[in-house]
Amino acid sequence: MVPETVEQKLRFARVRLADLSALIRDNRLGADPDARHQATQEFFFHAVGATEYLAQLVNERRSLSLGAEDVAVYKVAREIQKGDPADPLLAPLKGLSADTRKTPLPADPYSDKGLVYRIINYRNEVAHRSTNPFHFVLSAGPKVAFLWLDPRDHARGQSARPVDTDLSSMLAVVDRECRMVLGLLR
């Protein structure tokens, strides 16, 4: 694993975000569900995939005891913490991890922690369960799309931010934390 593989995944996520933004700009997000689903699925796949590649890279560079098939961001963070709780890699790695099965959506879904939780949850829902995370608001003008805060529980409501703003914020957090780790590894 090399740092360029992480950077490549981040680039691919940006391309898919641009594709989604074009669908929104052209008022086709609701009209072209196949294009929307593909771009969304691939955005989450690549954005979260960057964190998974990063975990593999850290595991290799730090010679941690995890086999490649067992590597996950939270496991790498746990191994680093065992070795050195003051390691500067620990905070950004923990910041890129969320257990969406065992923990609820953070109180502030727009905080870094909330955005990371949501991007991981959306990836799981969209890529593994074919869930539609979108909520469309119909109006006389263009359709406006939002993400459900938690697609598993629509009672939580929709995001207060349009989908492209939400996805941009999520990718910004992932990008920043990945680059921080990459910088520390060099």
Side-chain angles (χ1 to χ4, degrees):
M1 188 70 58
V2 294
E4 291 77 21
T5 59
V6 176
E7 293 166 358
Q8 181 183 54
K9 292 298 262 183
L10 292 168
R11 274 194 314 277
F12 290 167
R14 281 191 289 279
V15 167
R16 290 331 230 162
L17 179 56
D19 293 344
L20 281 165
S21 295
L23 289 172
I24 292 167
R25 183 184 59 247
D26 298 342
N27 199 26
R28 291 185 20 238
L29 192 66
D32 197 345
D34 289 342
R36 176 186 71 230
H37 188 73
Q38 180 179 359
T40 304
Q41 198 174 51
E42 291 179 12
F43 170 81
F44 292 126
F45 174 77
H46 291 303
V48 175
T51 70
E52 293 168 344
Y53 281 17
L54 183 71
Q56 290 286 353
L57 181 65
V58 172
N59 185 53
E60 290 174 10
R61 292 274 177 96
R62 288 294 182 90
S63 301
L64 301 177
S65 62
L66 298 170
E69 66 282 351
D70 293 323
V71 169
V73 177
Y74 76 93
K75 289 180 181 180
V76 169
R78 185 177 62 211
E79 289 298 310
I80 287 175
Q81 186 164 7
K82 280 189 222 176
D84 179 6
D87 191 311
L89 286 179
L90 195 55
L93 284 172
K94 282 185 172 182
L96 288 170
S97 181
D99 187 344
T100 61
R101 290 182 190 169
K102 296 180 182 174
T103 58
L105 176 69
D108 181 357
Y110 310 104
S111 66
D112 287 358
K113 186 176 180 177
L115 291 168
V116 168
Y117 181 98
R118 290 172 58 209
I119 199 168
I120 292 169
N121 190 38
Y122 294 139
R123 188 281 306 261
N124 293 345
E125 290 297 311
V126 171
H128 299 304
R129 296 174 195 94
S130 193
T131 302
N132 178 3
F134 291 94
H135 175 71
F136 290 95
V137 176
L138 302 177
S139 60
K143 290 182 184 176
V144 179
F146 300 88
L147 295 170
W148 292 108
L149 287 173
D150 188 340
R152 302 168 298 188
D153 180 8
H154 289 190
R156 300 291 311 252
Q158 72 184 34
S159 174
R161 300 174 178 172
V163 66
D164 51 338
T165 302
D166 243 355
L167 296 178
S168 293
S169 297
M170 290 173 203
L171 186 56
V173 172
V174 169
D175 186 86
R176 183 188 70 232
E177 298 300 311
C178 283
R179 290 187 188 289
M180 185 179 300
V181 171
L182 290 172
L184 291 167
L185 286 175
R186 291 195 167 120

PDB file of all heavy atoms in Angstrom, residues 7-37:
ATOM      1  N   GLU A   7      -4.922   8.796  -1.767  1.00  0.00           N
ATOM      2  CA  GLU A   7      -5.205  10.021  -2.511  1.00  0.00           C
ATOM      3  C   GLU A   7      -6.068   9.742  -3.743  1.00  0.00           C
ATOM      4  O   GLU A   7      -6.942  10.540  -4.098  1.00  0.00           O
ATOM      5  CB  GLU A   7      -3.892  10.699  -2.885  1.00  0.00           C
ATOM      6  CG  GLU A   7      -3.158  11.218  -1.658  1.00  0.00           C
ATOM      7  CD  GLU A   7      -1.709  11.592  -1.905  1.00  0.00           C
ATOM      8  OE1 GLU A   7      -1.220  11.424  -3.038  1.00  0.00           O
ATOM      9  OE2 GLU A   7      -1.070  12.033  -0.947  1.00  0.00           O
ATOM     10  N   GLN A   8      -5.845   8.599  -4.382  1.00  0.00           N
ATOM     11  CA  GLN A   8      -6.652   8.216  -5.543  1.00  0.00           C
ATOM     12  C   GLN A   8      -8.118   8.041  -5.149  1.00  0.00           C
ATOM     13  O   GLN A   8      -9.013   8.509  -5.841  1.00  0.00           O
ATOM     14  CB  GLN A   8      -6.104   6.930  -6.150  1.00  0.00           C
ATOM     15  CG  GLN A   8      -6.849   6.464  -7.376  1.00  0.00           C
ATOM     16  CD  GLN A   8      -6.300   5.141  -7.873  1.00  0.00           C
ATOM     17  OE1 GLN A   8      -6.225   4.180  -7.122  1.00  0.00           O
ATOM     18  NE2 GLN A   8      -5.905   5.117  -9.141  1.00  0.00           N
ATOM     19  N   LYS A   9      -8.357   7.361  -4.026  1.00  0.00           N
ATOM     20  CA  LYS A   9      -9.738   7.161  -3.567  1.00  0.00           C
ATOM     21  C   LYS A   9     -10.408   8.505  -3.278  1.00  0.00           C
ATOM     22  O   LYS A   9     -11.583   8.695  -3.597  1.00  0.00           O
ATOM     23  CB  LYS A   9      -9.786   6.278  -2.322  1.00  0.00           C
ATOM     24  CG  LYS A   9      -9.386   4.838  -2.554  1.00  0.00           C
ATOM     25  CD  LYS A   9     -10.307   4.150  -3.522  1.00  0.00           C
ATOM     26  CE  LYS A   9     -11.344   3.342  -2.787  1.00  0.00           C
ATOM     27  NZ  LYS A   9     -12.212   2.609  -3.723  1.00  0.00           N
ATOM     28  N   LEU A  10      -9.671   9.425  -2.689  1.00  0.00           N
ATOM     29  CA  LEU A  10     -10.225  10.753  -2.413  1.00  0.00           C
ATOM     30  C   LEU A  10     -10.552  11.478  -3.722  1.00  0.00           C
ATOM     31  O   LEU A  10     -11.598  12.129  -3.826  1.00  0.00           O
ATOM     32  CB  LEU A  10      -9.244  11.567  -1.562  1.00  0.00           C
ATOM     33  CG  LEU A  10      -9.043  11.062  -0.138  1.00  0.00           C
ATOM     34  CD1 LEU A  10      -7.847  11.755   0.518  1.00  0.00           C
ATOM     35  CD2 LEU A  10     -10.304  11.238   0.696  1.00  0.00           C
ATOM     36  N   ARG A  11      -9.679  11.351  -4.716  1.00  0.00           N
ATOM     37  CA  ARG A  11      -9.953  11.959  -6.035  1.00  0.00           C
ATOM     38  C   ARG A  11     -11.210  11.360  -6.649  1.00  0.00           C
ATOM     39  O   ARG A  11     -12.047  12.072  -7.197  1.00  0.00           O
ATOM     40  CB  ARG A  11      -8.772  11.757  -6.992  1.00  0.00           C
ATOM     41  CG  ARG A  11      -7.696  12.785  -6.899  1.00  0.00           C
ATOM     42  CD  ARG A  11      -6.723  12.746  -8.075  1.00  0.00           C
ATOM     43  NE  ARG A  11      -6.247  11.423  -8.454  1.00  0.00           N
ATOM     44  CZ  ARG A  11      -5.231  10.784  -7.864  1.00  0.00           C
ATOM     45  NH1 ARG A  11      -4.582  11.352  -6.874  1.00  0.00           N
ATOM     46  NH2 ARG A  11      -4.858   9.596  -8.272  1.00  0.00           N
ATOM     47  N   PHE A  12     -11.340  10.031  -6.593  1.00  0.00           N
ATOM     48  CA  PHE A  12     -12.515   9.376  -7.160  1.00  0.00           C
ATOM     49  C   PHE A  12     -13.791   9.858  -6.465  1.00  0.00           C
ATOM     50  O   PHE A  12     -14.820  10.055  -7.117  1.00  0.00           O
ATOM     51  CB  PHE A  12     -12.410   7.856  -7.032  1.00  0.00           C
ATOM     52  CG  PHE A  12     -11.364   7.213  -7.905  1.00  0.00           C
ATOM     53  CD1 PHE A  12     -11.011   5.895  -7.676  1.00  0.00           C
ATOM     54  CD2 PHE A  12     -10.736   7.884  -8.928  1.00  0.00           C
ATOM     55  CE1 PHE A  12     -10.054   5.258  -8.465  1.00  0.00           C
ATOM     56  CE2 PHE A  12      -9.778   7.265  -9.728  1.00  0.00           C
ATOM     57  CZ  PHE A  12      -9.443   5.945  -9.493  1.00  0.00           C
ATOM     58  N   ALA A  13     -13.731  10.044  -5.147  1.00  0.00           N
ATOM     59  CA  ALA A  13     -14.899  10.552  -4.419  1.00  0.00           C
ATOM     60  C   ALA A  13     -15.253  11.963  -4.890  1.00  0.00           C
ATOM     61  O   ALA A  13     -16.431  12.286  -5.070  1.00  0.00           O
ATOM     62  CB  ALA A  13     -14.646  10.523  -2.911  1.00  0.00           C
ATOM     63  N   ARG A  14     -14.217  12.804  -5.106  1.00  0.00           N
ATOM     64  CA  ARG A  14     -14.474  14.163  -5.595  1.00  0.00           C
ATOM     65  C   ARG A  14     -15.123  14.141  -6.983  1.00  0.00           C
ATOM     66  O   ARG A  14     -16.004  14.953  -7.272  1.00  0.00           O
ATOM     67  CB  ARG A  14     -13.181  14.977  -5.616  1.00  0.00           C
ATOM     68  CG  ARG A  14     -12.782  15.498  -4.244  1.00  0.00           C
ATOM     69  CD  ARG A  14     -11.650  16.518  -4.317  1.00  0.00           C
ATOM     70  NE  ARG A  14     -10.367  15.932  -4.675  1.00  0.00           N
ATOM     71  CZ  ARG A  14      -9.556  15.301  -3.833  1.00  0.00           C
ATOM     72  NH1 ARG A  14      -9.886  15.167  -2.582  1.00  0.00           N
ATOM     73  NH2 ARG A  14      -8.399  14.818  -4.251  1.00  0.00           N
ATOM     74  N   VAL A  15     -14.696  13.215  -7.837  1.00  0.00           N
ATOM     75  CA  VAL A  15     -15.291  13.105  -9.171  1.00  0.00           C
ATOM     76  C   VAL A  15     -16.777  12.727  -9.052  1.00  0.00           C
ATOM     77  O   VAL A  15     -17.622  13.306  -9.731  1.00  0.00           O
ATOM     78  CB  VAL A  15     -14.531  12.062 -10.033  1.00  0.00           C
ATOM     79  CG1 VAL A  15     -15.310  11.703 -11.289  1.00  0.00           C
ATOM     80  CG2 VAL A  15     -13.149  12.581 -10.390  1.00  0.00           C
ATOM     81  N   ARG A  16     -17.078  11.788  -8.187  1.00  0.00           N
ATOM     82  CA  ARG A  16     -18.477  11.370  -8.028  1.00  0.00           C
ATOM     83  C   ARG A  16     -19.318  12.472  -7.405  1.00  0.00           C
ATOM     84  O   ARG A  16     -20.481  12.643  -7.746  1.00  0.00           O
ATOM     85  CB  ARG A  16     -18.567  10.083  -7.198  1.00  0.00           C
ATOM     86  CG  ARG A  16     -18.045   8.885  -7.947  1.00  0.00           C
ATOM     87  CD  ARG A  16     -18.227   9.050  -9.434  1.00  0.00           C
ATOM     88  NE  ARG A  16     -18.845   7.896 -10.033  1.00  0.00           N
ATOM     89  CZ  ARG A  16     -19.422   7.900 -11.213  1.00  0.00           C
ATOM     90  NH1 ARG A  16     -19.479   8.991 -11.917  1.00  0.00           N
ATOM     91  NH2 ARG A  16     -19.943   6.809 -11.710  1.00  0.00           N
ATOM     92  N   LEU A  17     -18.721  13.254  -6.515  1.00  0.00           N
ATOM     93  CA  LEU A  17     -19.430  14.401  -5.941  1.00  0.00           C
ATOM     94  C   LEU A  17     -19.710  15.424  -7.039  1.00  0.00           C
ATOM     95  O   LEU A  17     -20.798  15.996  -7.100  1.00  0.00           O
ATOM     96  CB  LEU A  17     -18.616  15.024  -4.807  1.00  0.00           C
ATOM     97  CG  LEU A  17     -19.220  16.244  -4.135  1.00  0.00           C
ATOM     98  CD1 LEU A  17     -20.618  15.962  -3.595  1.00  0.00           C
ATOM     99  CD2 LEU A  17     -18.303  16.732  -3.018  1.00  0.00           C
ATOM    100  N   ALA A  18     -18.753  15.624  -7.930  1.00  0.00           N
ATOM    101  CA  ALA A  18     -18.971  16.534  -9.059  1.00  0.00           C
ATOM    102  C   ALA A  18     -20.091  16.017  -9.962  1.00  0.00           C
ATOM    103  O   ALA A  18     -20.900  16.805 -10.467  1.00  0.00           O
ATOM    104  CB  ALA A  18     -17.677  16.716  -9.853  1.00  0.00           C
ATOM    105  N   ASP A  19     -20.149  14.699 -10.147  1.00  0.00           N
ATOM    106  CA  ASP A  19     -21.235  14.104 -10.948  1.00  0.00           C
ATOM    107  C   ASP A  19     -22.598  14.361 -10.293  1.00  0.00           C
ATOM    108  O   ASP A  19     -23.566  14.712 -10.979  1.00  0.00           O
ATOM    109  CB  ASP A  19     -21.023  12.602 -11.126  1.00  0.00           C
ATOM    110  CG  ASP A  19     -19.824  12.262 -11.980  1.00  0.00           C
ATOM    111  OD1 ASP A  19     -19.305  13.146 -12.693  1.00  0.00           O
ATOM    112  OD2 ASP A  19     -19.375  11.090 -11.920  1.00  0.00           O
ATOM    113  N   LEU A  20     -22.661  14.184  -8.977  1.00  0.00           N
ATOM    114  CA  LEU A  20     -23.916  14.462  -8.262  1.00  0.00           C
ATOM    115  C   LEU A  20     -24.271  15.944  -8.346  1.00  0.00           C
ATOM    116  O   LEU A  20     -25.444  16.290  -8.557  1.00  0.00           O
ATOM    117  CB  LEU A  20     -23.800  14.037  -6.797  1.00  0.00           C
ATOM    118  CG  LEU A  20     -23.966  12.560  -6.526  1.00  0.00           C
ATOM    119  CD1 LEU A  20     -23.483  12.211  -5.122  1.00  0.00           C
ATOM    120  CD2 LEU A  20     -25.408  12.143  -6.707  1.00  0.00           C
ATOM    121  N   SER A  21     -23.280  16.796  -8.205  1.00  0.00           N
ATOM    122  CA  SER A  21     -23.519  18.239  -8.301  1.00  0.00           C
ATOM    123  C   SER A  21     -24.037  18.613  -9.682  1.00  0.00           C
ATOM    124  O   SER A  21     -24.905  19.477  -9.814  1.00  0.00           O
ATOM    125  CB  SER A  21     -22.247  19.018  -7.980  1.00  0.00           C
ATOM    126  OG  SER A  21     -21.880  18.813  -6.631  1.00  0.00           O
ATOM    127  N   ALA A  22     -23.529  17.949 -10.725  1.00  0.00           N
ATOM    128  CA  ALA A  22     -24.015  18.211 -12.089  1.00  0.00           C
ATOM    129  C   ALA A  22     -25.471  17.775 -12.232  1.00  0.00           C
ATOM    130  O   ALA A  22     -26.268  18.468 -12.871  1.00  0.00           O
ATOM    131  CB  ALA A  22     -23.140  17.497 -13.116  1.00  0.00           C
ATOM    132  N   LEU A  23     -25.818  16.643 -11.630  1.00  0.00           N
ATOM    133  CA  LEU A  23     -27.218  16.204 -11.664  1.00  0.00           C
ATOM    134  C   LEU A  23     -28.117  17.222 -10.972  1.00  0.00           C
ATOM    135  O   LEU A  23     -29.226  17.512 -11.442  1.00  0.00           O
ATOM    136  CB  LEU A  23     -27.377  14.835 -10.997  1.00  0.00           C
ATOM    137  CG  LEU A  23     -26.814  13.632 -11.746  1.00  0.00           C
ATOM    138  CD1 LEU A  23     -26.874  12.382 -10.866  1.00  0.00           C
ATOM    139  CD2 LEU A  23     -27.563  13.410 -13.058  1.00  0.00           C
ATOM    140  N   ILE A  24     -27.642  17.771  -9.869  1.00  0.00           N
ATOM    141  CA  ILE A  24     -28.420  18.782  -9.144  1.00  0.00           C
ATOM    142  C   ILE A  24     -28.526  20.050  -9.986  1.00  0.00           C
ATOM    143  O   ILE A  24     -29.617  20.599 -10.169  1.00  0.00           O
ATOM    144  CB  ILE A  24     -27.767  19.083  -7.775  1.00  0.00           C
ATOM    145  CG1 ILE A  24     -27.886  17.865  -6.866  1.00  0.00           C
ATOM    146  CG2 ILE A  24     -28.393  20.323  -7.132  1.00  0.00           C
ATOM    147  CD1 ILE A  24     -27.019  17.927  -5.619  1.00  0.00           C
ATOM    148  N   ARG A  25     -27.397  20.505 -10.499  1.00  0.00           N
ATOM    149  CA  ARG A  25     -27.362  21.731 -11.297  1.00  0.00           C
ATOM    150  C   ARG A  25     -28.291  21.629 -12.510  1.00  0.00           C
ATOM    151  O   ARG A  25     -28.965  22.587 -12.877  1.00  0.00           O
ATOM    152  CB  ARG A  25     -25.924  22.008 -11.742  1.00  0.00           C
ATOM    153  CG  ARG A  25     -25.756  23.294 -12.519  1.00  0.00           C
ATOM    154  CD  ARG A  25     -24.332  23.489 -13.037  1.00  0.00           C
ATOM    155  NE  ARG A  25     -23.935  22.395 -13.916  1.00  0.00           N
ATOM    156  CZ  ARG A  25     -22.980  21.490 -13.630  1.00  0.00           C
ATOM    157  NH1 ARG A  25     -22.309  21.551 -12.499  1.00  0.00           N
ATOM    158  NH2 ARG A  25     -22.684  20.528 -14.485  1.00  0.00           N
ATOM    159  N   ASP A  26     -28.336  20.442 -13.119  1.00  0.00           N
ATOM    160  CA  ASP A  26     -29.163  20.235 -14.315  1.00  0.00           C
ATOM    161  C   ASP A  26     -30.586  19.798 -13.978  1.00  0.00           C
ATOM    162  O   ASP A  26     -31.346  19.408 -14.871  1.00  0.00           O
ATOM    163  CB  ASP A  26     -28.514  19.185 -15.222  1.00  0.00           C
ATOM    164  CG  ASP A  26     -27.147  19.626 -15.734  1.00  0.00           C
ATOM    165  OD1 ASP A  26     -26.849  20.846 -15.688  1.00  0.00           O
ATOM    166  OD2 ASP A  26     -26.371  18.748 -16.152  1.00  0.00           O
ATOM    167  N   ASN A  27     -30.913  19.838 -12.684  1.00  0.00           N
ATOM    168  CA  ASN A  27     -32.245  19.442 -12.193  1.00  0.00           C
ATOM    169  C   ASN A  27     -32.609  18.019 -12.624  1.00  0.00           C
ATOM    170  O   ASN A  27     -33.737  17.735 -13.004  1.00  0.00           O
ATOM    171  CB  ASN A  27     -33.313  20.450 -12.645  1.00  0.00           C
ATOM    172  CG  ASN A  27     -34.561  20.341 -11.801  1.00  0.00           C
ATOM    173  OD1 ASN A  27     -34.523  19.909 -10.646  1.00  0.00           O
ATOM    174  ND2 ASN A  27     -35.693  20.719 -12.386  1.00  0.00           N
ATOM    175  N   ARG A  28     -31.621  17.109 -12.580  1.00  0.00           N
ATOM    176  CA  ARG A  28     -31.848  15.723 -12.981  1.00  0.00           C
ATOM    177  C   ARG A  28     -31.694  14.735 -11.822  1.00  0.00           C
ATOM    178  O   ARG A  28     -31.777  13.537 -12.022  1.00  0.00           O
ATOM    179  CB  ARG A  28     -30.853  15.341 -14.084  1.00  0.00           C
ATOM    180  CG  ARG A  28     -31.097  16.042 -15.393  1.00  0.00           C
ATOM    181  CD  ARG A  28     -30.187  15.589 -16.530  1.00  0.00           C
ATOM    182  NE  ARG A  28     -29.560  14.305 -16.367  1.00  0.00           N
ATOM    183  CZ  ARG A  28     -28.231  14.100 -16.386  1.00  0.00           C
ATOM    184  NH1 ARG A  28     -27.406  15.099 -16.559  1.00  0.00           N
ATOM    185  NH2 ARG A  28     -27.730  12.891 -16.243  1.00  0.00           N
ATOM    186  N   LEU A  29     -31.437  15.234 -10.615  1.00  0.00           N
ATOM    187  CA  LEU A  29     -31.195  14.343  -9.491  1.00  0.00           C
ATOM    188  C   LEU A  29     -32.396  13.436  -9.234  1.00  0.00           C
ATOM    189  O   LEU A  29     -32.240  12.241  -9.012  1.00  0.00           O
ATOM    190  CB  LEU A  29     -30.859  15.141  -8.223  1.00  0.00           C
ATOM    191  CG  LEU A  29     -30.318  14.335  -7.062  1.00  0.00           C
ATOM    192  CD1 LEU A  29     -28.962  13.737  -7.396  1.00  0.00           C
ATOM    193  CD2 LEU A  29     -30.209  15.205  -5.819  1.00  0.00           C
ATOM    194  N   GLY A  30     -33.582  13.996  -9.319  1.00  0.00           N
ATOM    195  CA  GLY A  30     -34.789  13.196  -9.112  1.00  0.00           C
ATOM    196  C   GLY A  30     -35.240  12.485 -10.373  1.00  0.00           C
ATOM    197  O   GLY A  30     -35.913  11.453 -10.301  1.00  0.00           O
ATOM    198  N   ALA A  31     -34.866  13.002 -11.513  1.00  0.00           N
ATOM    199  CA  ALA A  31     -35.333  12.459 -12.786  1.00  0.00           C
ATOM    200  C   ALA A  31     -34.492  11.291 -13.284  1.00  0.00           C
ATOM    201  O   ALA A  31     -34.944  10.529 -14.133  1.00  0.00           O
ATOM    202  CB  ALA A  31     -35.345  13.566 -13.840  1.00  0.00           C
ATOM    203  N   ASP A  32     -33.295  11.155 -12.791  1.00  0.00           N
ATOM    204  CA  ASP A  32     -32.387  10.114 -13.278  1.00  0.00           C
ATOM    205  C   ASP A  32     -31.906   9.264 -12.101  1.00  0.00           C
ATOM    206  O   ASP A  32     -30.765   9.380 -11.656  1.00  0.00           O
ATOM    207  CB  ASP A  32     -31.208  10.765 -14.011  1.00  0.00           C
ATOM    208  CG  ASP A  32     -30.447   9.774 -14.885  1.00  0.00           C
ATOM    209  OD1 ASP A  32     -30.633   8.548 -14.714  1.00  0.00           O
ATOM    210  OD2 ASP A  32     -29.655  10.238 -15.730  1.00  0.00           O
ATOM    211  N   PRO A  33     -32.794   8.391 -11.590  1.00  0.00           N
ATOM    212  CA  PRO A  33     -32.441   7.628 -10.380  1.00  0.00           C
ATOM    213  C   PRO A  33     -31.246   6.698 -10.565  1.00  0.00           C
ATOM    214  O   PRO A  33     -30.491   6.480  -9.617  1.00  0.00           O
ATOM    215  CB  PRO A  33     -33.712   6.855 -10.043  1.00  0.00           C
ATOM    216  CG  PRO A  33     -34.547   6.877 -11.265  1.00  0.00           C
ATOM    217  CD  PRO A  33     -34.145   8.087 -12.059  1.00  0.00           C
ATOM    218  N   ASP A  34     -31.047   6.159 -11.745  1.00  0.00           N
ATOM    219  CA  ASP A  34     -29.900   5.271 -11.950  1.00  0.00           C
ATOM    220  C   ASP A  34     -28.583   6.033 -11.828  1.00  0.00           C
ATOM    221  O   ASP A  34     -27.651   5.581 -11.159  1.00  0.00           O
ATOM    222  CB  ASP A  34     -29.977   4.588 -13.316  1.00  0.00           C
ATOM    223  CG  ASP A  34     -31.075   3.530 -13.383  1.00  0.00           C
ATOM    224  OD1 ASP A  34     -31.545   3.094 -12.310  1.00  0.00           O
ATOM    225  OD2 ASP A  34     -31.436   3.139 -14.499  1.00  0.00           O
ATOM    226  N   ALA A  35     -28.508   7.193 -12.476  1.00  0.00           N
ATOM    227  CA  ALA A  35     -27.294   8.003 -12.386  1.00  0.00           C
ATOM    228  C   ALA A  35     -27.073   8.476 -10.955  1.00  0.00           C
ATOM    229  O   ALA A  35     -25.945   8.463 -10.447  1.00  0.00           O
ATOM    230  CB  ALA A  35     -27.379   9.197 -13.334  1.00  0.00           C
ATOM    231  N   ARG A  36     -28.150   8.886 -10.284  1.00  0.00           N
ATOM    232  CA  ARG A  36     -28.056   9.334  -8.892  1.00  0.00           C
ATOM    233  C   ARG A  36     -27.564   8.201  -7.996  1.00  0.00           C
ATOM    234  O   ARG A  36     -26.657   8.381  -7.198  1.00  0.00           O
ATOM    235  CB  ARG A  36     -29.418   9.827  -8.407  1.00  0.00           C
ATOM    236  CG  ARG A  36     -29.418  10.225  -6.934  1.00  0.00           C
ATOM    237  CD  ARG A  36     -30.809  10.575  -6.433  1.00  0.00           C
ATOM    238  NE  ARG A  36     -31.617   9.382  -6.337  1.00  0.00           N
ATOM    239  CZ  ARG A  36     -32.837   9.247  -6.845  1.00  0.00           C
ATOM    240  NH1 ARG A  36     -33.403  10.231  -7.526  1.00  0.00           N
ATOM    241  NH2 ARG A  36     -33.516   8.127  -6.688  1.00  0.00           N
ATOM    242  N   HIS A  37     -28.132   7.010  -8.164  1.00  0.00           N
ATOM    243  CA  HIS A  37     -27.765   5.890  -7.311  1.00  0.00           C
ATOM    244  C   HIS A  37     -26.309   5.481  -7.542  1.00  0.00           C
ATOM    245  O   HIS A  37     -25.562   5.249  -6.589  1.00  0.00           O
ATOM    246  CB  HIS A  37     -28.705   4.706  -7.549  1.00  0.00           C
ATOM    247  CG  HIS A  37     -28.495   3.594  -6.584  1.00  0.00           C
ATOM    248  ND1 HIS A  37     -28.886   3.677  -5.271  1.00  0.00           N
ATOM    249  CD2 HIS A  37     -27.909   2.381  -6.727  1.00  0.00           C
ATOM    250  CE1 HIS A  37     -28.559   2.557  -4.643  1.00  0.00           C
ATOM    251  NE2 HIS A  37     -27.961   1.758  -5.515  1.00  0.00           N
TER     252      HIS A  37
END
